[in-house]
Amino acid sequence: MARPRKPLLSRDRIVEAAGALVDAEGLEAVSTRRLAAELGVSGPSLYNHFRNKEEILDAVADAVSAQVDLSMFQEGDARDWSAALRDWALSYRAALATHPHIVPVLAQGPGRRPAGLRVADAVFGAMVRAGWPPAQATYIGALMRYFVTGSALGSFARGFVDDETAYDPADYPHLGQAHLLAERRQQVDEGAFETGLRALLDGLVLQYEQTVTGRKAPRTPSGA
């Protein structure tokens, strides 16, 4: 009986394996030698699809960008620009939270990555259609990327140890509950993101009213 054939090596298989490795062990775990071993192929065969490790990580980052919902920016969508930005930011952060180790690559910007460029194009296009001047629409896209990727680069709550003795009230009179933050990481980090997102969008609404002639935006863009 003939032996079962190994699945053919493809870009998708390489990206899937590299993404799993990044998720499990971080960026430093990825090498062409390690990937080849994971895929059961020879190292040089990877170079038929990618020139180097950087290209592979770029493709992994783009696969994460492709998970971000962009439906709110379609021309037929009923959401206004501020609600669309909010829903998109939540989807964007959720994708990054699922794959935190790839965030440093994504934070560098889309470069030539197709899915990343589609995200940038969708945000910019929706802001211009809403009436924002092109320059301001560019600033908004940059601002949102800074905010979302920055929030995904690390956990505020996890930065505090769970040892009560580390926060001597004589030295830190206002940190008596800081040792509890780590165990409440999700609540604290998500609450901080929601608070910042509301403040950011409320500020943009005020700018919109001042910048876009004859247009009034809703007073509660955050949906809160």
Side-chain angles (χ1 to χ4, degrees):
M1 182 179 292
R3 286 175 140 188
R5 287 172 135 191
K6 287 184 180 177
L8 291 175
L9 190 62
S10 66
R11 285 180 64 91
D12 287 346
R13 279 194 69 212
I14 296 169
V15 171
E16 183 179 357
L21 200 52
V22 170
D23 286 345
E25 301 181 35
L27 294 173
E28 296 305 315
V30 178
S31 68
T32 52
R33 178 179 296 179
R34 175 76 182 275
L35 274 176
E38 293 283 334
L39 291 163
V41 299
S42 63
S45 63
L46 298 179
Y47 297 116
N48 293 326
H49 302 276
F50 295 97
R51 288 183 297 180
N52 49 44
K53 170 184 172 178
E54 287 68 33
E55 281 196 357
I56 295 172
L57 291 177
D58 245 14
V60 172
D62 211 37
V64 173
S65 292
Q67 297 173 17
V68 180
D69 183 14
L70 298 177
S71 64
M72 66 288 296
F73 296 128
Q74 293 175 1
E75 293 194 40
D77 193 274
R79 283 166 282 194
D80 69 9
W81 65 268
S82 57
L85 274 183
R86 179 184 187 278
D87 291 347
W88 168 69
L90 292 172
S91 175
Y92 191 5
R93 184 175 182 272
L96 300 192
T98 306
H99 308 282
H101 292 147
I102 200 65
V103 173
V105 179
L106 283 163
Q108 297 170 11
R112 296 177 181 271
R113 299 193 292 268
L117 289 171
R118 281 193 290 274
V119 171
D121 181 74
V123 175
F124 178 79
M127 295 306 100
V128 171
R129 284 197 308 275
W132 285 100
Q136 203 67 19
T138 300
Y139 302 154
I140 291 170
L143 168 65
M144 297 302 291
R145 182 164 65 83
Y146 296 154
F147 178 68
V148 177
T149 58
S151 74
L153 280 171
S155 165
F156 174 83
R158 195 174 282 162
F160 294 84
V161 299
D162 61 0
D163 179 3
E164 188 173 4
T165 64
Y167 308 104
D168 188 329
D171 295 320
Y172 315 109
H174 306 296
L175 295 182
Q177 301 296 306
H179 64 287
L180 301 175
L181 288 173
E183 70 181 42
R184 299 173 185 172
R185 180 189 63 79
Q186 184 173 356
Q187 176 187 350
V188 171
D189 291 345
E190 289 184 1
F193 182 80
E194 286 276 2
T195 299
L197 185 58
R198 281 197 301 271
L200 188 156
L201 291 174
D202 286 347
L204 285 176
V205 167
L206 293 177
Q207 288 188 39
Y208 185 86
E209 293 177 351
Q210 297 166 2
T211 304
V212 182
T213 304
R215 294 286 298 275
K216 289 291 182 181
R219 288 289 181 179
T220 56
S222 62

